[in-house]
Every structure is written in structure tokens, then in C-alpha cells.
Amino acid sequence: MAEAPPRLQPLVTVDERGAPGHDDSRRIGRGVFLATVAGGLSSLYWGKAAWSHVSNALGGVEAAVPLVPTGGWRIYTVAATMPTFDPATWRLRIGGLVEHPQELSYHDLRALPQASQVSIFHCVTGWSVNGVRWRGVRFKDLLAHARPLTDAHAIQFVSAEQPYVDYLTLAQANLPDVMLAWEMDGKPLPREHGAPVRVVIPDMYGYKNVKWVAEINLVHQAGSGYWENLGYDRDAWVGRSNGYTS
Amino acid sequence: MKPGYVRRFSRTERTFHWVNAIGFFLLLATGLILYLPSLSADVGRRPLVKDVHFWGGIGWVAALALVAVLGDRSGLLRTARELDLFDREDVNWLRRRQPNEQARFNAGQKLNAALTAAFLVLFLVSGLLLWLGERDTRYRFASTVILHDGLLYASLVLLVGHLYLALIHPATRHALHGMVLGTVREDWARKHHARWDSGGRG
């Protein structure tokens, strides 16, 4: 993709094609065009690094006044509408290979032992958001009452946004910075980020961080989630999967 | 042609401009729905909006190519040459020096045309890479989405300036008459484009 530098001809005197009587014309228009295209294409190599320098340099400022109206996030969905959350009727079902299947209300969930963390969020399409503050519950605590059976080795996350589904192995779900989060940056998880609960696993790309989790099933082994059925990697380690090597 | 008016833009040039404008606004609207979280939540239907955005982009470029092929091709090429060439007075115009009498296009319009064309190419390439990258890791680059979003901001800056000069600024907004009907007032042309030889004056 590295284009050869455009051959500009900025100082060429133009012959009969120039405006009559003005043979001092220069081909600046194409120079601007080619330089802009070449600069833009070269940014495929330096764009992300440059952007993270800028947003790091502005660190504190950006928290108060985001550089871009999205705060760096892009919202990806697969269904016609985003799920809506009603605290009165919402239930999280925990089932599959467990001793005691459960239905937790939003209130029940928030009464579980709480954990909080600040972590980076990476999307497989290339954007990242630094320093996201999450609060929620670790899977060890979430599953303590349901008690996974000994032959359960993975968790299936079924999203209220159908047909989105994905899996983590129990080993992945029990990494120290993995949680089911219900709070983001000090506020209840916003609708577009998966209200009321989403998976947070910072070492994996966003599509493993299932939003709008409605059902958690313990299963024998991890299957293929929504994007994995479309060719993305099942183990979506940041910088080590999906064609990326860092 | 009405008396007192001179022809500034041919039918092909105007069609080319308006096809470009319609394409840009279609892609801007669908792109903002995809990009802004609050709009995404309200509108939903992301897969559909994504398809409209992608095929709208393909259709935009195809429509521009069609206008060029079916319309007055040599006229468009002559216009491209006019936009390409900057003479000493163009450079003076940019530097606010004298003499700086302008021909059919002033230097700002020439720069706007070059940047608009470059942004279109970059939008197209980065958009295709986003689409292909979703299907094949070989086309996946970590910075593609940053380029595509950056182009959005850069082209909004150009658009705001363009709309201000075309719709609001009293000295320049008569240019819109030329882009809609093809003709501009001769006295306006003499004042703003003194070195423009418009051929048959009305």
C-alpha cells in the first residue's frame, strides 16, 4: 500500500494548454490532489499510532471534552433494533451444565460481590478506547451459587440482540481482568454499550465482549460465536489473532 | 440566455456537481447513523444502513463515471485542466497580494476541487478496505477506520466553507445561480472573475 511518492511537476511551464498569455501556469491542482491521496494512503501505516499519541497527550482534557463526539467508541450491532432494558422485568438466566440453574434480577446481580477495573478496549476493526472504568462481578462470584459441573469447560453468552452469541472457555472467563460489567465510567451501562450487562475481557477484541447478555449457559466446550461463523477467530487475543501480529 | 448573463457551467458540469452532492449527502447521512452512538441507538437496523452506505458509495462513484462518459467528456477534461493550473495571479490571490484577478475559477475553488477529488478517492479506498477487511484478514489494517473517520471530519470542514460561500456570503452566493441554472450575471463575473474569457457574452 506504500505508494511511490507522487511525481509532482510543480514548476513545469505549460504550453498551449495554459490560459492564453499566462505561460507561468503551474500544475498545482494535481499536486495537491496527489499529495493528499498519497498522504491519506500512507496513514494506513501511521494513523493509529498518531491518533493514540494525540489522545494520550490530551489524556485529561479528553475525558472532559471528548475530541470526537463518540468518545472514541463505535457501536456495532447485528439486529434490526437494540434491546431495551426494563429493570422490573429483566432476568439473567444461568443454566446449562450447572448444579443449580438460576434467574437473577437486576437487583440480585448488583448484590453480588463487586469488582472494578480500568482497562483498554480494543476493536478488531482497529479502534481502541483507553482507560475505560468498569464495575461488575467476576465470573467466579457470579457462578458461585449455580456451581458449574465438572465437565463444564466453557460459557455460552446469549445476547438479547438475536442472533448474537459467543463463548469463552472457563479459563478465559476466570482471567483476573474479566467480568460481567453493569457500570461503565461511573454510570449504569448505557443502552448502546449493552445495558444492563456485558462481558468485559480486555485481552480479546470487542466481539468477544458480548453486549446485552441475557443468558449464560455452561457448556462442555466453546463453540463458534456470531462473528466466528463469519470467519473471525474463536480465541480473539488482541494483537495475536484475526490477521494481526503486534 | 437572459441578457446580462454569461454561461459559466455546462449541463454536464452541473450534473456532475449535483450527482456528487447527492452522493455525498446520502453517504454522510447513512455514515452518521453508523458512526454516532445516539443515532445508532435510535435508528437501529445497522445491517441495512451498512448496505445502503456501501452500495450507495459504489453507486455514487459509478454515477459520476456515467456522467463523465455520457456527458461532454472533452468539456470536463478542459475544466479539469483549468482547475489544475495555477498561474502567478492565482498564487497572489492565495497570498492576498496584487495583482490577483481571477479566471473562471479562483484559486480557492481550484484547491477545493483538488481536495474534494482526493477525499473521494480516499473515502472509496478506505471504505472498500473496511468492507473487504470484514471478509478477509489480508485487507484488514488497524488504521483504516481512523482514515475513514478522519476524512469525515476533513470533508465536513470543506463542506461548511463551501456552503457558507455558496449560500450565505453576500459577495459569493450568486455563484449558486451558475451551478443551478448554468449562468451568472455579467457584472458579477467581471468583478469576481475579471480574467475569465466567457466566450459569447450575453
Side-chain angles (χ1 to χ4, degrees):
Chain A
M1 208 40 73
E3 304 292 323
R7 269 191 288 276
L8 305 183
Q9 299 169 308
L11 298 171
V12 169
T13 301
V14 183
D15 45 24
E16 78 284 356
R17 285 169 178 173
H22 293 277
D23 56 359
D24 56 343
S25 298
R26 298 168 190 183
R27 291 172 174 157
I28 291 178
R30 76 181 64 185
V32 170
F33 170 80
L34 290 172
T36 308
V37 169
L41 291 179
S42 76
S43 82
L44 289 173
Y45 286 96
W46 51 260
K48 188 175 163 73
W51 178 249
S52 56
H53 274 299
V54 171
S55 67
N56 283 342
L58 292 174
V61 185
E62 215 200 336
V65 188
L67 277 183
V68 289
T70 60
W73 294 92
R74 279 97 180 153
I75 305 302
Y76 296 153
T77 56
V78 301
T81 52
M82 271 186 204
T84 42
F85 164 53
D86 176 0
T89 58
W90 182 83
R91 295 290 180 276
L92 175 66
R93 287 183 298 281
I94 302 179
L97 304 173
V98 294
E99 284 178 24
H100 307 292
Q102 267 187 296
E103 282 207 356
L104 296 177
S105 69
Y106 188 55
H107 180 81
D108 297 336
L109 187 80
R110 308 247 320 204
L112 292 171
Q114 296 184 7
S116 58
Q117 69 189 46
V118 177
S119 48
I120 188 166
F121 186 96
H122 294 284
C123 177
V124 71
T125 62
W127 54 269
S128 305
V129 181
N130 284 315
V132 191
R133 290 180 290 130
W134 303 105
R135 179 180 292 275
V137 56
R138 303 284 178 210
F139 284 99
K140 165 176 63 69
D141 295 320
L142 178 68
L143 300 174
H145 180 75
R147 296 178 68 88
L149 300 173
T150 49
D151 55 347
H153 297 294
I155 307 179
Q156 178 196 46
F157 299 97
V158 181
S159 174
E161 191 205 20
Q162 281 303 305
Y164 204 97
V165 66
D166 214 325
Y167 298 80
L168 291 177
T169 67
L170 273 181
Q172 292 164 355
N174 286 323
L175 289 172
D177 57 352
V178 176
M179 63 161 60
L180 190 70
W182 38 260
E183 192 181 282
M184 176 183 153
D185 291 333
K187 286 188 273 242
L189 197 66
R191 184 185 181 200
E192 65 268 23
H193 289 285
V197 288
R198 77 174 304 167
V199 177
V200 172
I201 175 163
D203 287 346
M204 287 202 185
Y205 288 116
Y207 66 91
K208 301 295 281 191
N209 296 235
V210 179
K211 297 189 276 195
W212 303 291
V213 175
E215 209 174 296
I216 286 179
N217 294 311
L218 276 290
V219 292
H220 289 296
Q221 56 186 10
S224 278
Y226 180 88
W227 286 109
E228 288 125 75
N229 284 327
L230 296 171
Y232 286 71
D233 290 346
R234 198 176 279 184
D235 290 329
W237 302 111
V238 171
R240 289 183 280 137
S241 65
N242 294 295
Y244 291 113
T245 50
S246 63
Chain B
M1 204 162 8
K2 273 196 288 181
Y5 280 77
V6 290
R7 179 155 302 280
R8 186 167 186 220
F9 292 118
S10 71
R11 187 170 304 223
T12 301
E13 287 168 326
R14 284 177 283 150
T15 310
F16 197 81
H17 171 271
W18 290 112
V19 164
N20 189 44
I22 290 166
F24 181 85
F25 280 110
L26 171 71
L27 275 279
L28 178 65
T30 49
L32 286 178
I33 292 171
L34 294 171
Y35 179 63
L36 294 174
S38 54
L39 269 182
S40 301
D42 291 345
V43 177
R45 293 174 207 286
R46 186 175 185 89
L48 173 69
V49 178
K50 238 165 113 174
D51 280 346
V52 174
H53 190 70
F54 178 78
W55 292 108
I58 301 291
W60 177 17
V61 175
L64 286 178
L66 212 61
V67 173
V69 170
L70 298 181
D72 174 13
R73 235 173 314 163
S74 56
L76 276 185
L77 280 174
R78 267 198 310 277
T79 303
R81 229 161 15 232
E82 276 180 73
L83 291 166
D84 184 19
L85 295 176
F86 286 57
D87 61 22
R88 194 163 294 146
E89 296 201 27
D90 284 322
V91 175
N92 286 347
W93 187 91
L94 289 173
R95 292 179 174 166
R96 300 272 180 267
R97 285 191 200 149
Q98 301 292 336
N100 62 9
E101 288 190 341
Q102 298 291 285
R104 181 160 73 122
F105 298 109
N106 68 39
Q109 291 161 340
K110 292 176 181 179
L111 281 182
N112 181 57
L115 289 174
T116 301
F119 290 171
L120 178 58
V121 170
L122 291 170
F123 266 131
L124 180 70
V125 171
S126 57
L128 282 173
L129 284 176
L130 286 176
W131 189 82
L132 290 168
E134 200 173 304
R135 286 152 184 81
D136 186 331
T137 56
R138 283 177 301 168
Y139 300 105
R140 207 173 287 160
F141 303 96
S143 299
T144 312
V145 76
I146 290 168
L147 172 57
H148 205 72
D149 294 356
L151 287 167
L152 162 69
Y153 289 100
S155 55
L156 280 180
V157 171
L158 273 195
L159 177 71
V160 167
H162 183 62
L163 291 181
Y164 171 74
L165 292 171
L167 301 174
I168 297 171
H169 189 55
T172 55
R173 68 185 175 202
H174 178 63
L176 182 65
H177 192 279
M179 196 45 94
V180 174
L181 298 172
T183 56
V184 290
R185 283 200 321 271
E186 196 177 346
D187 61 322
W188 181 86
R190 276 193 208 290
K191 181 159 182 229
H192 294 279
H193 301 274
R195 271 194 305 132
W196 170 32
D197 173 16
S198 66
R201 298 230 156 156

